[in-house]
Amino acid sequence: MYGSSNSRQLSAMLVELLQDQCPDCSVTYKDLARDPIAHLTQDVYLAYRRPEDELTPQQRSEKAVTDAHIEQLLASDLVVIGAPLYNLSIPTQLKAWIDRISQPRRTFRYVERGIVGLVSNVRVIIASSRGGLYSLSEEGRAKDFQERYLVTALKLLGISDIDIVRVEGVNMNAERRAEAHAKAQAAAQEIVAAILATRSQWQRDALV
Ligand SMILES: Cc1cc2nc3c(=O)[nH]c(=O)nc-3n(C[C@H](O)[C@H](O)[C@H](O)COP(=O)(O)O)c2cc1C
């Protein structure tokens, strides 16, 4: 089933390119479909909003899970996110990850004029796949709550270096799908080369 996934194909291609050109970079694979993160609940939410000594055992355990996802993100130089478009947005499994990593005082904080992100030195490449076409028209872009949401949510956490490699129109016909993948491959090569040109700034492990 996974063999036909366009976003998996894209993210795997990106990681392969990165590894080819950066053999000493280490990769951690995180599969949110096979190992789903429990969705946001009041215990997950309150774990970061109550004093430590007031947390229930359940909240403590949820906090430990959340902490692990945050530590993994903060220890990464580069995150490749496979993001299919589902019903105009991202899959709920990916949203569950965003809900975990978006925590006050760890990845963002409130200031007078709103919110400031606390995640620095992490780059992201979004491997986006879409059945239809969205990027080519004003009307299509207005319906984009997938890439636009992801970019906005990540920027809010302070992640500003975000590239998108996209295949769209993949469910329209075989020619369009093939063309989209060929274009994405070329774009991925350019993006990876540009990122690795700044390799001297890479000091830690890469997370995929
Ligand atoms: C549950 C579901 C919802 C989808 N919703 C949309 C949609 O709103 N718009 C669209 O263009 N394609 C939609 N698609 C098509 C997917 O975006 C497309 O098949 C994409 O390649 C899925 O990623 P994958 O190939 O990695 O599985 C949907 C597919 C599924 C399974």
Side-chain angles (χ1 to χ4, degrees):
M1 179 182 106
Y2 286 153
S4 63
S5 162
N6 293 278
S7 56
R8 283 175 186 274
Q9 206 174 308
L10 266 194
S11 57
M13 182 260 289
L14 280 159
V15 175
E16 217 169 286
L17 281 172
L18 285 159
Q19 284 189 300
D20 278 355
Q21 293 172 49
C22 181
D24 53 326
C25 286
S26 74
V27 175
T28 305
Y29 182 70
K30 196 178 181 81
D31 191 325
L32 297 174
R34 286 190 179 129
D35 303 306
I37 302 171
H39 282 103
L40 189 67
T41 60
Q42 202 179 33
D43 280 329
V44 175
Y45 173 82
L46 288 178
Y48 261 90
R49 283 148 178 98
R50 288 259 162 90
E52 194 81 29
D53 56 358
E54 288 177 22
L55 299 183
T56 64
Q58 182 61 24
Q59 288 164 354
R60 267 178 217 284
S61 130
E62 290 297 356
K63 186 162 188 291
V65 173
T66 303
D67 280 338
H69 289 293
I70 291 175
E71 297 305 335
Q72 191 180 38
L73 171 70
L74 296 178
S76 305
D77 290 304
L78 173 66
V79 184
V80 176
I81 301 177
L85 170 61
Y86 281 177
N87 299 320
L88 302 179
S89 185
I90 59 171
T92 57
Q93 294 94 332
L94 182 54
K95 177 63 165 53
W97 180 72
I98 297 282
D99 287 338
R100 290 282 175 168
I101 62 166
S102 305
Q103 297 299 343
R105 297 175 301 283
R106 289 303 310 274
T107 53
F108 74 85
R109 69 186 168 86
Y110 291 101
V111 292
E112 197 69 21
R113 63 201 151 75
I115 281 175
V116 169
L118 302 175
V119 182
S120 54
N121 304 320
V122 179
R123 300 189 68 109
V124 166
I125 307 178
I126 297 171
S128 162
S129 65
R130 301 156 151 188
L133 295 173
Y134 293 83
S135 72
L136 304 179
S137 68
E138 193 73 28
E139 196 193 341
R141 287 190 291 273
K143 290 181 195 151
D144 173 9
F145 302 104
Q146 169 220 18
E147 291 179 9
R148 214 149 45 94
Y149 164 73
L150 262 183
V151 168
T152 307
L154 295 168
K155 283 195 170 165
L156 200 105
L157 303 182
I159 300 172
S160 53
D161 291 321
I162 303 172
D163 290 293
I164 298 176
V165 177
R166 172 191 308 124
V167 285
E168 63 178 353
V170 293
N171 290 356
M172 293 168 75
N173 57 56
E175 290 74 32
R176 213 179 259 279
R177 181 177 186 273
E179 197 187 316
H181 276 279
K183 272 194 193 156
Q185 172 116 29
Q189 273 159 352
E190 275 185 31
I191 286 168
V192 167
I195 289 174
L196 292 178
T198 60
R199 171 85 214 278
S200 57
Q201 294 160 20
W202 284 43
Q203 283 155 356
R204 301 169 307 184
D205 294 348
L207 161 71
V208 178

